[in-house]
Amino acid sequence: MSRMFGTVSMGIRAPIIRQGDDLVQIVTGCIQDAMKYDGLTPRDRDVVAMTEAIVARAQGNYASVDHIAKDVRNKLGGETVGVIFPILSRNRFAICLRGIAKGCKKIVLMLSYPSDEVGNHLIDWDMMDEKGVDPYKDVLSEKTYRELFGYIKHPFTGVDYVEYYSDLIRECGAEVEVVFANDPRAILKYTKNVIHCDIHTRARTKRILKAAGGERIFGLDEIMTESVDGSGYNPGYGLLGSNKSTEDTVKLFPRACQDLVEAIQAELLKITGKHIEVMVYGDGAFKDPVGKIWELADPVVSPAYTAGLEGTPNELKLKYLADNDFADLSGEALRDAIRDKIQQKDGSSLVGNMAAQGTTPRRLTDLIGSLCDLTSGSGDKGTPIVYIQGYFDNYTND
């Protein structure tokens, strides 16, 4: 072997991005600086990725609570609105909720339990079992919830989200009633006008509510799909994927960024002579087994990527080959046999092949986006661009 490194993921420092900045020049310029100052040597099929946050910021894709309120009022009538299945997040949902509350007279807030969609727990499973509560059937009022479970604070944030969301709604001038249920149809007892805030189950929720007699039914992906009084917007995802910007504004998920990734790819080809894949990434798609939180609060991991990132891995499991096909070999003979086996791959799908069993059956953009999210972090690292080498290598590449 002529090199020992396999896949390497590197955070690339970048300037603070502002509205109107030219990301093609900034991203490619940062890669050139990494080549000049840190010895980065680009290779074909490297990957350059940038966070969705800097794309949305460069686009100026922001909306205020007043913009949200106006859109909600126009679409749902401004009276009593059911807001169901929101995630428990000050960053992801609180400002959206403020806008919704300003756009109606009363909110019936229906929270899923024992946890929200991404794993933030309102109730401990064991405590729920002890109290004899059936999450598949039981609808709890706030009074019953408090009598059974008391005032529970999130273990990481220290926030009682029932109290926090209720206070926030009242501060915006709306009445609030809180209920706890997992069947979306439970909200129709209170109102036929509903905003369902779930992310990955939103199509099913809408179908169920419509079939059960819901009238004005909108998902978060259908709020802020067009500009309101000059605001930002996202035609495909609306408020989904938004993040808190200030106490009165949210940064929306970036829109129309396919041209951006292709332009960066073309510019990198001119600069390096290498064919480099490019993507925009948001949340990674992974779950914390201790905190129980599923990271993916964005509607997709990657809203835009170049064509070479389409598909899923097509790999052989080395330990399977070592333990089965070549169990009698060791040392250089084992290495050579495995390398020969890999080289025999002809590009056809290995799905169903026992030698591929146990390889990760996920989309490339979800896997690479998760790697990027972990590399760049969400705090003060200052590396919103990630450069990956060797992701498409295998044991035969020197």
Side-chain angles (χ1 to χ4, degrees):
M1 286 184 190
S2 60
R3 63 182 171 93
M4 296 301 295
F5 285 139
T7 299
V8 178
S9 180
M10 297 167 278
I12 305 293
R13 290 179 176 173
I16 304 301
I17 305 300
R18 297 294 189 188
Q19 181 174 346
D21 284 350
D22 185 341
L23 280 185
V24 176
Q25 294 305 313
I26 290 173
V27 172
T28 56
C30 289
I31 300 305
Q32 286 179 291
D33 285 346
M35 294 165 61
K36 180 178 179 181
Y37 298 111
D38 292 303
L40 175 66
T41 303
R43 301 198 295 259
D44 284 322
R45 297 223 73 190
D46 287 353
V47 179
V48 169
M50 70 210 89
T51 66
E52 57 82 20
I54 65 171
V55 179
R57 292 181 71 184
Q59 292 175 344
N61 205 18
Y62 296 90
S64 72
V65 293
D66 290 332
H67 294 138
I68 297 169
K70 185 172 183 178
D71 202 30
V72 168
R73 197 177 301 114
N74 289 340
K75 288 175 176 173
L76 288 108
E79 297 296 325
T80 299
V81 174
V83 175
I84 73 171
F85 303 157
I87 63 172
L88 308 176
S89 172
R90 293 169 295 176
N91 175 48
R92 287 289 191 169
F93 188 68
I95 309 304
C96 296
L97 182 57
R98 286 189 62 201
I100 294 168
K102 290 187 72 171
C104 53
K105 291 181 179 178
K106 179 180 179 179
I107 284 180
V108 181
L109 181 66
M110 193 172 91
L111 302 174
S112 57
Y113 73 94
S115 70
D116 68 8
E117 181 181 4
V118 297
N120 293 295
H121 275 68
L122 283 171
I123 308 168
D124 179 76
W125 273 100
D126 293 329
M127 183 184 295
M128 186 180 65
D129 292 341
E130 179 186 324
K131 299 293 184 179
V133 174
D134 184 344
Y136 301 103
K137 296 189 300 183
D138 293 343
V139 178
L140 309 178
S141 66
E142 183 176 2
K143 182 176 182 293
T144 302
Y145 168 82
R146 293 299 190 193
E147 290 172 349
L148 289 171
F149 304 109
Y151 290 77
I152 299 174
K153 294 185 177 182
H154 191 285
F156 292 158
T157 65
V159 173
D160 179 334
Y161 277 96
V162 178
E163 182 177 63
Y164 175 65
Y165 280 173
S166 297
D167 289 346
L168 185 151
I169 292 167
R170 293 188 190 98
E171 288 167 5
C172 292
E175 296 178 54
V176 61
E177 182 174 358
V178 182
V179 295
F180 304 80
N182 292 311
D183 185 340
R185 291 169 293 193
I187 195 65
L188 300 178
K189 172 184 174 183
Y190 304 88
T191 176
K192 305 294 185 186
N193 302 323
V194 182
I195 299 176
H196 58 94
C197 305
D198 45 341
I199 305 161
H200 307 293
T201 55
R202 61 188 185 274
R204 177 178 182 268
T205 299
K206 179 182 290 293
R207 172 175 56 78
I208 289 172
L209 288 170
K210 287 282 191 181
E215 295 173 359
R216 299 185 189 185
I217 307 297
F218 290 86
L220 275 188
D221 59 328
E222 296 170 297
I223 307 297
M224 299 305 301
T225 54
E226 296 179 342
S227 181
V228 176
D229 298 334
S231 72
Y233 64 98
N234 190 302
Y237 298 121
L239 286 175
L240 285 185
S242 63
N243 285 272
K244 177 180 179 179
S245 175
T246 71
E247 294 301 324
D248 296 303
T249 59
V250 291
K251 176 194 63 60
L252 302 174
F253 211 49
R255 63 179 188 269
C257 36
Q258 188 62 37
D259 289 347
L260 172 66
V261 296
E262 292 175 0
I264 291 173
Q265 183 181 58
E267 188 65 19
L268 287 172
L269 180 61
K270 292 179 187 176
I271 293 168
T272 67
K274 304 297 181 181
H275 183 87
I276 296 172
E277 304 297 345
V278 182
M279 67 182 286
V280 178
Y281 68 94
D283 279 345
F286 50 83
K287 185 172 182 176
D288 171 10
V290 176
K292 304 175 185 176
I293 296 172
W294 185 31
E295 173 70 8
L296 188 55
D298 285 328
V300 291
V301 172
S302 177
Y305 51 89
T306 50
L309 297 177
E310 185 62 65
T312 58
N314 198 43
E315 302 172 345
L316 295 169
K317 196 77 169 179
L318 296 192
K319 64 184 181 182
Y320 179 89
L321 295 175
D323 291 344
N324 291 272
D325 295 38
F326 308 120
D328 58 333
L329 301 179
S330 62
E332 289 188 8
L334 175 59
R335 182 199 65 191
D336 292 342
I338 288 179
R339 286 165 68 99
D340 288 343
K341 189 73 171 180
I342 293 171
Q343 289 173 337
Q344 290 171 20
K345 291 194 301 183
D346 58 8
S348 58
S349 175
L350 293 171
V351 172
N353 187 318
M354 284 300 294
Q357 183 174 294
T359 57
T360 310
R362 290 167 58 191
R363 287 163 50 88
L364 288 169
T365 50
D366 294 343
L367 290 163
I368 297 171
S370 299
L371 174 60
C372 290
D373 190 23
L374 289 167
T375 300
S376 62
S378 58
D380 58 8
K381 287 185 173 62
T383 55
I385 302 165
V386 175
Y387 197 97
I388 299 172
Q389 290 195 307
Y391 192 85
F392 295 101
D393 288 357
N394 60 45
Y395 194 55
T396 69
N397 296 116
D398 292 327

